Amino acid sequence: MKTTLDIDDALLAKAKAQSAREKKSLTCLIEEGLRLRLRKQAPQSAKPPRRKLPVYKGRGGVAPGIDPTSNRAMFEATGDE
């Protein structure tokens, strides 16, 4: 099937040079790239495995006077401003 693509000029130049080095057509190189990309793509229905998140069970907490529900207060408490 024939189609028209808009490809970045630098990328196309690299692809043409690669196809020349490998003595393959540009079409062959592009098809190979598409096959590799589609092969690696995970099926849409596959869910990633569940991971158990570590939970800190230590003592302590936020220093007195700092609102732990405020991002700004937490940031200001670090003194990184």
Side-chain angles (χ1 to χ4, degrees):
M1 173 192 295
K2 290 189 178 209
T3 190
T4 303
L5 300 172
D6 290 323
I7 300 176
D8 177 73
D9 291 339
L11 179 61
L12 182 59
K14 287 180 181 180
K16 284 182 177 182
Q18 181 74 25
S19 67
R21 280 192 299 275
E22 295 181 10
K23 297 181 179 161
K24 293 182 177 179
S25 69
L26 183 59
T27 299
C28 182
L29 188 72
I30 292 171
E31 287 176 348
E32 181 181 336
L34 285 171
R35 283 188 188 95
L36 287 171
R37 176 71 167 109
L38 294 173
R39 184 180 330 143
K40 289 182 179 182
Q41 189 175 25
Q44 296 290 338
S45 62
K47 292 183 181 179
R50 293 189 69 159
R51 295 182 183 168
K52 188 172 183 178
L53 296 176
V55 176
Y56 176 72
K57 295 182 181 178
R59 294 188 178 171
V62 181
I66 300 173
D67 179 7
T69 63
S70 167
N71 288 341
R72 165 122 355 249
M74 298 292 278
F75 180 72
E76 288 173 355
T78 65
D80 287 344
E81 279 189 62

